[in-house]
Amino acid sequence: MVKLYCLTVLYKGHDSATWLKSVYDLQSVNFFQRGPVQEFMLFCAKTIVERTLPASRQSVKEGEYICHVYVRSDNLAGVVISDQEYPSRVSHTLLTKILDEFSDKIPAVNWPNLQERDVAFPQLSTYLAKYQNPSEADALTKIQDTLDDTKIILHSNIQAVLERGEKLDDLVAKSEGLSIQSKAFYKTARKTNACCSFT
């Protein structure tokens, strides 16, 4: 069964990206691994957004998951994390819709200074539930096919997105956004060749 795991909205600043709002559906993930999986999803989303140029889209495969990213020209960014069966076109249309609604509701002047706990955007949870079934969602997106002509770059894994000389292991080790438990989870998954399988 196809699955959406995470929807998140970020602001891409000059040096780093900040989370504005995130929602998850991790019911299919082992209960004891949900915390580290959620942290690692956010880490991957932030890392890929920081390495995506404004006014562009990317899709990055990692294990059995795929991370779809759209950074608008105004640096508002969205990420959908799904399994690889979920239709790419539906994911990118959903990202356009979410970011349009977010920017209509919350003025751009506020984005650089917002913290997630201060952002009221319940529509994200609604979309996560509504778009779990891509065939229904696809019917909606075909009607209003608003996906622009921006080329979507597909990468085979997160390592392909990193800048020359950067290593995912080093980024994980240096990250202040990952707990010790999440870093240990990453190392264990890496040793069993299951990174970033999140399960």
Side-chain angles (χ1 to χ4, degrees):
M1 183 176 144
V2 295
K3 187 80 179 148
L4 278 181
Y5 295 99
C6 173
L7 300 179
T8 186
V9 178
L10 302 95
Y11 175 73
K12 179 181 170 145
H14 295 294
D15 298 323
S16 66
T18 54
W19 297 288
L20 301 180
K21 202 66 180 175
S22 301
V23 293
Y24 309 88
D25 182 345
L26 300 177
Q27 294 176 25
S28 61
V29 175
N30 176 307
F31 177 80
F32 297 104
Q33 293 180 337
R34 288 181 189 167
V37 167
Q38 181 175 317
E39 279 187 22
F40 203 77
M41 284 184 173
L42 280 177
F43 170 78
C44 288
K46 183 178 185 292
T47 300
I48 296 168
V49 164
E50 289 170 351
R51 285 148 183 84
T52 302
L53 294 172
S56 63
R57 299 175 184 268
Q58 294 195 79
S59 292
V60 180
K61 292 180 182 178
E62 188 64 54
E64 60 193 78
Y65 301 91
I66 190 159
C67 188
H68 302 283
V69 178
Y70 174 35
V71 179
R72 298 191 335 176
S73 57
D74 59 7
N75 289 321
L76 187 64
V79 177
V80 168
I81 298 177
S82 67
D83 63 17
Q84 291 192 26
E85 312 306 312
Y86 199 90
S88 183
R89 186 177 63 79
V90 175
S91 295
H92 281 284
T93 304
L94 175 58
L95 284 171
T96 300
K97 189 172 183 56
I98 287 169
L99 296 182
D100 286 349
E101 283 193 32
F102 189 92
S103 62
D104 286 346
K105 185 169 173 36
I106 299 169
V109 69
N110 297 337
W111 301 341
N113 302 313
L114 282 175
Q115 293 191 1
E116 186 166 13
R117 68 177 178 268
D118 301 326
V119 177
F121 191 63
Q123 295 90 326
L124 211 52
S125 295
T126 304
Y127 280 126
L128 185 63
K130 186 177 182 179
Y131 276 73
Q132 284 297 340
N133 183 344
S135 58
E136 286 181 28
D138 202 32
L140 292 171
T141 58
K142 280 180 181 168
I143 292 169
Q144 59 181 32
D145 198 5
T146 56
L147 188 58
D148 56 33
D149 293 330
T150 308
K151 182 180 174 189
I152 300 170
I153 301 166
L154 177 64
H155 295 286
S156 58
N157 58 45
I158 195 169
Q159 195 65 44
V161 178
L162 301 179
E163 296 168 16
R164 271 185 205 194
E166 276 188 312
K167 291 190 172 102
L168 186 57
D169 292 348
D170 296 340
L171 289 175
V172 168
K174 289 190 285 186
S175 174
E176 295 175 11
L178 290 173
S179 66
I180 292 169
Q181 181 185 10
S182 293
K183 289 178 183 181
F185 168 77
Y186 168 79
K187 286 179 185 175
T188 302
R190 191 69 146 176
K191 284 179 186 171
T192 60
N193 289 329
C195 186
C196 301
S197 294
F198 304 125
T199 57

